[in-house]
Amino acid sequence: MVIVKNTYGISASLCPSLSNPDMLNKLGGSSLERKKYPKKPYNEIEELLRKPLVPREEIKETRFRSMSKRTKSKIRKKLISFARIQKRQSFLTLTFCNQVTDSHAVKILADFLKNVTKQNRGFQYLWVAEKQTKNEVFKDNIHFHIITNMFWKIDKWWKYWLELQAKHGIIPRNPDYKPASAFDVRSVKSNNIKGIVNYLTKYVTKNSGQFTCQVWNCSKKISRLYTDFYTGIEFIRQLEKLEKEGQLGGELKVFPQLYCNITLIPLNRTTMNFYNRLDVKNNTVWNSEEIKEGVSND
């Protein structure tokens, strides 16, 4: 039996050695499905052995992080699941008014998101880091792209973002200069799934920078959204039938791999119906969390 792993626009027909019948009809990609391991009892000797002989502050080796293809694919799937749940979204870009290190920038971003969450209990987000390659003044300065479900009061939050930077010692060279571009917001319409995928993910897929900090993160509710499900080969056969009848709205592209065959599927109103089981599950997860937390908007 061939098991097919399906996600938005991509299906992988797995070889038998990588799959088993128990996988059929299961959903994946949610943090709710992560395996939980029992916490090991504290052992003082083991803890001492784990500590490095040289103090951490004396270790000068820098660890760089970047976005792998797997990470970009995961972000893309989360963005689509989020867009299917929340039709009103905004695309926020936060930049800094002076040079800032990656680790410092992430701390400032964390404070920003923490305050927004406090004032808006229903606030959800997914952010990615990017380097400003075209900024000649602050070469490779980090900035952040954030997808949210919030309608921003620009005057309020733009002012707060600049004040927060100043609090952390990031101030413009000219004290009287207040860059409007530091807080840039664009509304996103989710009714065109292909359009939103192309618009939102282009900032992820082009990202090839190296960072000394975390490169992306999302709120807990977004992390709990499902992005994958497993079926038999009949999933592909149905799409092939639509293609043969000229009703697919595009063409299937198959790329044979060592352990599976990858099929690229056009995303449109016809093919999105094949992913309804994800929408049903995600709506249940999303709404159950809202009942627990309560939702307010500002």
Side-chain angles (χ1 to χ4, degrees):
M1 173 181 287
V2 176
I3 302 296
V4 181
K5 180 183 180 182
N6 306 293
T7 186
Y8 302 99
I10 301 174
S11 291
S13 304
L14 308 175
C15 70
S17 61
L18 295 179
S19 61
N20 61 74
D22 293 339
M23 300 169 67
L24 276 176
N25 299 318
K26 284 191 174 181
L27 281 74
S30 168
S31 60
L32 295 172
E33 300 299 320
R34 291 175 187 162
K35 292 183 179 179
K36 297 181 180 180
Y37 299 97
K39 190 175 182 180
K40 293 182 179 180
Y42 178 79
N43 186 307
E44 186 176 359
I45 296 177
E46 288 184 1
E47 289 297 319
L48 289 172
L49 291 174
R50 286 195 189 99
K51 291 184 178 180
L53 296 177
V54 180
R56 292 186 182 276
E57 56 269 18
E58 295 182 17
I59 301 176
K60 297 183 179 180
E61 181 180 359
T62 302
R63 180 190 174 192
F64 289 99
R65 302 182 184 181
S66 59
M67 282 193 185
S68 64
K69 288 184 179 180
R70 183 178 179 181
T71 297
K72 292 177 181 180
S73 175
K74 183 176 181 179
I75 294 172
R76 172 185 175 275
K77 292 187 291 184
K78 287 295 183 185
L79 285 174
I80 298 176
S81 290
F82 185 30
R84 299 284 286 177
I85 291 292
Q86 292 283 298
K87 299 302 180 184
R88 187 185 76 168
Q89 293 185 329
S90 61
F91 183 80
L92 172 64
T93 300
L94 296 177
T95 57
F96 293 88
C97 55
N98 212 323
Q99 198 75 36
V100 61
T101 64
D102 294 350
S103 57
H104 195 183
V106 166
K107 289 179 181 178
I108 299 173
L109 174 66
D111 286 350
F112 177 82
L113 295 175
K114 185 177 180 179
N115 191 19
V116 177
T117 302
K118 280 183 178 179
Q119 298 189 43
N120 303 269
R121 293 180 62 190
F123 174 64
Q124 304 299 327
Y125 60 86
L126 184 151
W127 64 262
V128 296
E130 188 183 27
K131 292 290 187 176
Q132 289 181 286
T133 56
K134 296 181 180 180
N135 190 330
E136 297 297 332
V137 180
F138 307 126
K139 190 67 176 177
D140 287 336
N141 216 31
I142 192 174
H143 66 281
F144 301 102
H145 297 297
I146 312 172
I147 309 299
T148 82
N149 62 339
M150 181 169 158
F151 177 79
W152 297 89
K153 295 180 178 179
I154 296 178
D155 290 342
K156 171 184 175 180
W157 291 108
W158 168 63
K159 180 181 178 182
Y160 171 68
W161 174 239
L162 294 179
E163 290 174 348
L164 184 61
Q165 290 188 56
K167 181 180 178 181
H168 283 265
I170 310 299
I171 57 176
R173 293 181 177 183
N174 181 349
D176 297 326
Y177 179 59
K178 294 183 179 181
S181 60
F183 191 93
D184 181 68
V185 181
R186 303 176 190 179
S187 60
V188 180
K189 295 181 180 180
S190 302
N191 56 343
N192 182 347
I193 192 65
K194 184 176 181 179
I196 195 172
V197 170
N198 292 338
Y199 180 78
L200 300 181
T201 59
K202 71 177 181 180
Y203 291 95
V204 175
T205 55
K206 74 173 184 178
N207 200 332
S208 58
Q210 289 190 319
F211 305 84
T212 56
C213 67
Q214 191 174 11
V215 295
W216 82 285
N217 204 349
C218 64
S219 55
K220 184 182 292 184
K221 282 181 69 173
I222 294 179
S223 74
R224 290 179 175 177
L225 293 176
Y226 287 83
T227 59
D228 314 299
F229 61 92
Y230 296 87
T231 66
I233 195 64
E234 70 277 358
F235 184 87
I236 301 296
R237 297 291 179 258
Q238 288 177 301
L239 292 165
E240 289 174 342
K241 183 179 179 182
L242 285 175
E243 182 182 31
K244 187 177 180 180
E245 296 173 351
Q247 299 178 16
L248 188 65
E251 62 176 346
L252 300 175
K253 298 180 180 180
V254 182
F255 299 89
Q257 305 293 311
L258 186 59
Y259 299 109
C260 64
N261 285 338
I262 303 295
T263 302
L264 298 187
I265 304 162
L267 283 180
N268 51 48
R269 291 183 180 180
T270 299
T271 57
M272 282 308 301
N273 291 326
F274 283 75
Y275 305 98
N276 284 343
R277 69 187 74 185
L278 288 173
D279 296 339
V280 172
K281 181 65 174 179
N282 284 335
N283 272 296
T284 300
V285 172
W286 192 271
N287 293 330
S288 64
E289 290 299 317
E290 286 191 350
I291 292 173
K292 290 179 185 178
E293 300 171 3
V295 177
S296 62
N297 293 312
D298 182 14

